[in-house]
Every structure is written in C-alpha cells, then in structure tokens.
Amino acid sequence: MTKNNNHIRQIEECVVFLHERLPFIPPLVIQLGTGLGDLAEQVQPALILPYNEIPNFPCSTVSSHQGNLIVGHLHGIPVIILQGRFHCYEGYSSKEVAFPIRALSLLGVKTLLLTNAAGGLNPAFAPGSIMIFRDHLNLLGDNPLRGPNVEAWGPRFPDFSVPYDPELIKIAQESATACGLDKVVTGVYACIPGPSLETPAETRWLRGCGADAVGMSSIPEILVARHADMNVLGLSVISNVNDPDKMQPIILEEIIAAAEAVKPQLERLIIEIIRRRYVEDRTR
Ligand code: HPA
C-alpha cells in the first residue's frame, strides 16, 4: 500500500470512529496551544476522548501539552476542544500534525479557531499582546498537502489569496474592544520548524520578510483546514519580543508563564468571539 493510501485509510478509520462516538458535531473546533489548555475547564463536556484512544491520532510528546479531544458546550455553544497539539519539531510530518483537523473537517466541522504562543518580531508589540493572524509565512519546508491530492477533500492547488476569514478577524477585533483589551493586534505569523530558536540574523531576516511574530506550530493545521474550505481564526499570545540587536535568551518556562498570564484575557476574548459568531448569528 502506498504511503498516501495508508494516510487515507487512517483518516477514514478515525472519521468512522469519531462519527460513532461523538454525540453531536459542533460547527467549531478550538485548538489550544502552549500553556493555554485551561479553557477546556469551562466546557461542559459531553465526551472526553484522550488522544491515545482515538484510532491513528498522533500523541503529543511535549509535557506542556495535554492530549484530549473534548466535545461539549462552552457557554452554551457546541464546540470541540483539541487540548494539545503536535509539532514538526517532535518528528511528525506536517500531514501527521494536521491529522486531527483533516478528520474533523470530514466530519463536517466548519471553523477552526486556534491559539499558540509566539515570539514577537514587530517592535510595536509587547509581551502579553494577542495577535490575530492576518497572514502567514510557511517556513516549515513541508506542507501537509504534498503528495497525491484527494479531490474529495479539496483542490490540488488551493487558493490562499485570502488565508484568514475577514469576517472572523473583524469579529475578533470587535470582541477585543468589547472586552476592553487594548493589546490585541493583527499581524503575519511566520512558522519555523524549530526546535532551535532564532539567531539574531534569522530574527532580522524574519522581520525583513514582513513577519510580526514567529512560532513553531499551527500552520500545518491551517493549511489542511483551508484546503477543506474551513474558516480559520488564529490567535497568538506574544510571550516575548525579540530584538535582533539585543537578543535575550528564550526560556520555555518563561514562555509558558507569559502565556499563563494572558490566559484570562485570551479566554474572555475567545468566549466573546464565539458568542458574537454563534449566538448573535444562529444561521451558521
Ligand atoms: N520563537 C519561536 N517560537 C516561540 C517564541 C520565539 O521567540 N516564543 C514563543 N514561541
């Protein structure tokens, strides 16, 4: 069996399993990144599936990431929470990283909201800013859509002229204002493979390329979501801001602590976004 046939079979097995187990299919999946997994505690769960019980799901090797798929209601709104994600630096291909999103897209989930922690590159950003993705640079050197295309899943050459849903960006900005959050900005997210952090020269180069923030996650999932015609909203917590002329060591514990400090604001923002999207407009 070819590698691609194997991938298709693995996805199909997973979809059949989830179809049988999920009590309902929410319109929205929220994927939570480093230090941001606690939103799940506000969910009234209908079903919690540890990743290792879901056929063919990858399992996270990073201790700051829990691995659960939770189906339930967040302030009355049906959601799936992916608590924990996979990264290329763990050794996964980007296809494997995006596996959960491919499976959920085939179940009919229409929107992906994802969060991560990122390093700021834009000197106007401050630690604790929340950046709404406006665009991205995929510097992974990999793409989950490489290989034979499954036409039923999406087009061979998906259009990326409008990568992030303008309406979701607008809702996120209005929600930030409504929540009184003044450090919410939009920007371009650059995804590097990691796990090594940026050198001063790389930081300077990324800035010159137009990146506002840099991280090691989320783009594989976003590429698959857009291929499957899902709407995407990306939110980065800016945990540190890197200046190529005054680089400071970046310490994981400090990134997690910075993400934790912004968590209450991020949670309020997400709840306001989904309230505006799904309660004020029930047509979705
Ligand atoms: N670089 C890459 N990834 C990151 C950073 C950073 O500075 N901060 C948090 N995640």
Side-chain angles (χ1 to χ4, degrees), residues 117-119 192 197-198 214-216 239-240 242 250 255:
I192 57 164
L197 288 144
E198 307 77 60
V214 55
M216 303 174 189
S239 51
N240 50 290
N242 302 334
I250 297 165
I255 291 175

Side-chain angles (χ1 to χ4, degrees), residues 80-100:
I80 291 178
I81 303 272
L82 290 174
Q83 198 180 26
R85 65 153 55 91
F86 312 103
H87 305 83
C88 291
Y89 64 71
E90 294 174 80
Y92 296 110
S93 68
S94 61
K95 219 188 250 310
E96 289 168 325
V97 168
F99 186 100

